[in-house]
Amino acid sequence: MADWTAWQNTWDRQQEWYLPDREERLRVMLDSVAALTGEAPRVLDLACGTGTITSRVLARFPDARTTGFDMDPALLTIARGSHEGETRAQWVHGDLRAADWPTLLPHPQYDAVLTSTALHWLQAGPLRDLYRTLAEVVRPGGVLINADHMPDATTPAINEALDAFDRERREKAAAGGSEDWVGWWRRAAEAPELAEAVAERFETIGNPVDGDHSDGEAHSAEWHALALRDAGFSEARAIWASPTDGMVLGLR
């Protein structure tokens, strides 16, 4: 029998190789949901992957209801498996680049749309379009929170020093046995319980083992806040930052 919880945990550890403060930003994300939408939110976990945000939401808010949405069949397999029997969570396979993707959702609107390390896969134009769509998916008074790579090109000397420091940290972690993105996918492709879903992922999305990754763009937190306001959110600003990443909240 597949140990889906173990797969979920190894995914989290692999992500933390890149983002050592990942749990801190998730805590700030959920604190913001509690402050602005209450203790029983209906949450859309957008580009949910293995369901990390969903698991944190359900642990934090016993009366929450979640929908996980993703196009990756392998990661969704892990999400469904690790949340088997969890009646508060639903899962939807779809491509948010399709114009009609919201019709796949079980609810017309949500208190909170949460996403992490995902939307940098989109270029600027499609991301602006997505924000306009999400302004309709988030109920009035609800929130969209996007945590992602949000570089600041105005500080090149700071960026260079911090990037060098982070590379050294990751090299030390790798020497100690930490698994990176490519290594995780290579192992998943060889696992019998994931082989079919991973093969579908490689065919429809791309093969990370061969170096295939995002052709999108990363933008500053200020860019995201402005794009959210242009899309119809009443307020938007950064609520958290690390040397390489940021998190922006849009209030509908």
Side-chain angles (χ1 to χ4, degrees):
M1 179 179 292
D3 188 343
W4 298 117
T5 299
W7 278 108
Q8 169 70 64
N9 290 338
T10 61
W11 175 265
D12 286 343
R13 301 294 83 74
Q14 174 260 129
Q15 289 288 288
E16 287 171 358
W17 187 73
Y18 299 96
L19 300 166
D21 40 17
R22 185 169 178 254
E23 291 297 329
E24 168 67 11
R25 77 174 184 177
L26 290 172
R27 182 193 63 76
V28 174
M29 177 184 283
L30 298 191
D31 283 352
S32 301
V33 171
L36 288 157
T37 73
E39 296 290 329
R42 177 184 291 172
V43 173
L44 173 58
D45 183 355
L46 190 68
C48 65
T50 62
T52 297
I53 288 177
T54 290
S55 67
R56 305 306 188 269
V57 167
L58 296 178
R60 171 73 181 270
F61 305 111
D63 295 323
R65 295 293 183 271
T66 64
T67 303
F69 184 98
D70 205 289
M71 67 184 295
D72 190 318
L75 300 186
L76 272 178
T77 296
I78 296 171
R80 289 190 174 105
S82 63
H83 294 84
E84 186 176 6
E86 176 52 78
T87 60
R88 296 173 295 166
Q90 296 176 278
W91 306 97
V92 178
H93 182 235
D95 187 346
L96 56 79
R97 295 171 299 183
D100 63 346
W101 71 266
T103 64
L104 300 174
L105 300 174
H107 307 290
Q109 288 191 316
Y110 289 81
D111 300 306
V113 175
L114 309 178
T115 185
S116 176
T117 318
L119 301 189
H120 66 276
W121 284 70
L122 299 175
Q123 295 186 350
L127 180 54
R128 288 183 181 276
D129 291 341
L130 177 62
Y131 280 162
R132 283 189 284 270
T133 298
L134 291 172
E136 301 300 320
V137 174
V138 177
R139 67 159 174 83
V143 297
L144 163 65
I145 304 179
N146 177 18
D148 208 341
H149 309 316
M150 296 185 183
D152 186 341
T154 68
T155 58
I158 294 173
N159 297 347
E160 182 178 1
L162 291 173
D163 288 346
F165 180 86
D166 194 53
R167 281 196 304 273
E168 183 178 355
R169 176 193 63 78
R170 284 185 278 117
E171 287 170 0
K172 289 179 179 177
S178 294
E179 191 171 47
D180 66 2
W181 164 268
V182 172
W184 188 92
W185 278 108
R186 184 176 290 114
R187 187 164 56 85
E190 296 172 352
E193 67 269 30
L194 280 171
E196 183 177 349
V198 171
E200 181 183 350
R201 195 265 189 211
F202 286 2
E203 181 177 352
T204 59
I205 301 175
N207 185 340
V209 176
D210 291 338
D212 182 41
H213 196 54
S214 171
D215 62 353
E217 300 174 81
H219 304 282
S220 69
E222 291 77 8
W223 184 97
H224 285 277
L226 179 58
L228 286 168
R229 290 193 291 269
D230 287 345
F233 288 82
S234 62
E235 297 179 11
R237 72 172 181 88
I239 58 171
W240 178 90
S242 75
T244 59
D245 281 48
M247 185 157 59
V248 173
L249 183 153
L251 175 66
R252 185 68 178 90

